[in-house]
Amino acid sequence: MEEKMIRVAITQGDTNGVGYEVILKTFSDPAMLELCTPIIYGSPKIAAYHRKALNLETNYSIINKAEDARDGKLNLLACFDEETKVELGQPSAEAGQAAFKALDRAMTDFRAGLYDVLVTAPINKATIQSPGFHFPGHTEYIETSVGDGNKALMILMNESLRVALVTTHLPIKEVSKAITKEAIMEKATIFHKSLKRDFRISNPRIAVLSLNPHAGDDGLLGSEEKEVIIPAIEELEKQGIQAFGPYPADGFFGSNTYDYFDGVLAMYHDQGLAPFKTIALESGVNFTAGLPIVRTSPDHGTAYDIAGQGKADENSFRQAIYTAIDVFRNRKNYDEPLTNPLPKLFHEKRDDSEKVRFAIPKAKEQQS
């Protein structure tokens, strides 16, 4: 039986940035259409403007609803008809609203089951703000829209490193009070489950970073390690989650200690993302774990400074598509045996009352 093509929804992002450039460059390679069925949520007029400005030859088919998407084609779903002024490299309210309209339509279509995974092009977190979008970023908006009450976890990843965050888009002055035992345990548990289900790592090892320099120096430089982080790690260990630390971030990344772990849990945004982006270069992907939807994005922003110049590297966006497809398949393979579990592996026919000899224990994360 031929496997159904995975439908990849792609939101256009900020229309004055490099979103369309990395999208069109990615699908200039015909091999990408053999891997998935892409559906760009955007505007045909804006897409045509970018294609002409960048002198790209990538073709696309315009559709009005996701049901009309065709395999073997780059499908562009027209989300709105209004004229939108494109000012390459400039933030504008118009570009922000164009990004929101595409994202909003994509959320509606996911709830209707019209695609499998979502890849989002970068937005401007300031210009997208509106009555319909009052969130710090994509992650929080998607969690609220289609999370079904589940909590999201931001993971930055490439082939060799996965960094998750306890806190995301918070001012530094608010980070310390947001670092609680409960928050660390919640994020670490989501991380653990994601590493098993989304990445098929049977017994993941998670490194937990400290909050303060030198891991607090036994309380001299801060008490969060002794009072919050270490108790959280000890409790996680009791629950069967392999968590280690806390490790000072500078020495941890500087000595490549991350090579010994399947994931790294950072306390705040820049603590995790600054070293990650230095290590990952153009191969990094932002993956939102913990939600029913599989959502990824490139690990760069709108890149206004090079928008419209043909300089944007599409590799991170391409990797985001690869990752979304891999995670979708991993989840399907992981969930399939749990849908109809075998009650036993062996049973002697001559004695129906005999107890099952080989029971299949449920995974810990499946227990309520």
Side-chain angles (χ1 to χ4, degrees):
M1 184 176 177
E2 188 176 347
E3 190 173 347
K4 178 185 172 185
M5 291 283 280
I6 294 174
R7 288 193 162 204
V8 179
I10 299 168
T11 51
Q12 65 181 359
D14 188 285
T15 53
N16 291 340
V18 298
Y20 270 111
E21 181 176 346
V22 295
I23 294 170
L24 295 174
K25 281 182 174 179
T26 295
F27 287 99
S28 64
D29 179 1
M32 293 297 294
L33 299 178
E34 298 175 10
L35 187 65
C36 64
T37 300
I39 308 170
I40 303 172
Y41 283 71
S43 160
K45 293 179 181 178
I46 296 174
Y49 181 96
H50 281 264
R51 184 171 65 174
K52 183 177 180 180
L54 295 162
N55 195 29
L56 297 173
E57 298 181 358
T58 309
N59 293 318
Y60 50 82
S61 299
I62 300 171
I63 59 175
N64 292 312
K65 56 183 188 295
E67 295 94 326
D68 295 337
R70 295 167 58 194
D71 295 345
K73 300 284 186 181
L74 176 59
N75 303 278
L76 199 160
L77 195 158
C79 295
F80 53 91
D81 297 323
E82 298 91 343
E83 292 286 342
T84 300
K85 186 178 181 181
V86 178
E87 301 175 273
L88 291 171
Q90 299 298 319
S92 74
E94 275 190 274
Q97 286 312 293
F100 173 66
K101 289 173 185 175
L103 187 58
D104 183 56
R105 176 68 179 272
M107 293 296 95
T108 299
D109 282 2
F110 177 77
R111 287 189 287 265
L114 299 180
Y115 61 83
D116 300 307
V117 302
L118 173 67
V119 180
T120 57
I123 59 171
N124 180 317
K125 295 177 178 62
T127 62
I128 198 174
Q129 297 298 319
S130 66
F133 191 105
H134 45 83
F135 301 90
H138 270 124
T139 304
E140 296 83 358
Y141 171 74
I142 293 171
E143 176 186 273
T144 300
S145 298
V146 295
D148 293 342
N150 294 285
K151 293 293 185 180
L153 176 69
M154 182 187 292
I155 301 176
L156 275 292
M157 55 167 287
N158 67 358
E159 290 184 356
S160 60
L161 177 61
R162 303 176 194 91
V163 178
L165 306 177
V166 176
T167 63
T168 52
H169 302 112
L170 276 183
I172 285 292
K173 65 180 181 180
E174 296 179 15
V175 168
S176 180
K177 62 183 179 183
I179 300 298
T180 63
K181 178 183 175 182
E182 293 73 22
I184 294 169
M185 290 185 61
E186 178 184 74
K187 297 300 184 182
T189 302
I190 297 171
F191 200 10
H192 172 78
K193 290 180 179 180
S194 177
L195 290 168
K196 293 186 71 172
R197 183 180 181 223
D198 299 332
F199 300 101
R200 302 310 305 271
I201 300 170
S202 60
N203 193 21
R205 292 165 52 88
I206 298 172
V208 180
L209 300 184
S210 63
L211 175 65
N212 297 301
H214 309 295
D217 258 352
D218 200 28
L220 181 65
L221 301 177
S223 60
E224 287 84 359
E225 283 73 22
K226 295 177 71 173
E227 296 177 0
V228 178
I229 301 177
I230 291 174
I233 292 172
E234 291 173 347
E235 188 65 31
L236 288 165
E237 290 173 349
K238 291 178 184 177
Q239 296 180 10
I241 294 175
Q242 290 205 81
F244 304 85
Y247 297 97
D250 56 349
F252 181 85
F253 287 107
S255 60
N256 296 348
T257 306
Y258 55 84
D259 286 336
Y260 299 97
F261 295 93
D262 301 299
V264 181
L265 186 64
M267 293 297 112
Y268 59 93
H269 189 279
D270 285 13
Q271 183 189 51
L273 268 61
F276 173 81
K277 292 188 176 185
T278 303
I279 295 164
L281 298 176
E282 284 84 26
S283 67
V285 173
N286 183 348
F287 167 54
T288 303
L291 302 182
I293 191 171
V294 176
R295 176 257 170 168
T296 64
S297 69
D299 75 342
H300 59 75
T302 55
Y304 288 139
D305 56 321
I306 58 171
Q309 299 175 35
K311 296 179 180 179
D313 189 317
E314 72 276 17
N315 188 51
S316 180
F317 190 84
R318 183 184 295 110
Q319 295 300 324
I321 294 175
Y322 292 159
T323 299
I325 292 171
D326 286 345
V327 169
F328 179 80
R329 288 174 174 161
N330 284 343
R331 285 189 180 184
K332 185 177 179 181
N333 293 335
Y334 182 89
D335 293 344
E336 198 168 25
L338 301 177
T339 304
N340 296 295
L342 293 172
K344 51 200 171 186
L345 294 178
F346 176 78
H347 183 78
E348 287 190 4
K349 291 183 179 178
R350 66 171 180 264
D351 184 2
D352 290 336
S353 66
E354 185 179 356
K355 291 183 179 181
V356 177
R357 290 190 176 185
F358 301 103
I360 307 175
K362 286 187 177 181
K364 288 186 177 180
E365 63 267 27
Q366 296 296 317
Q367 295 177 344
S368 56

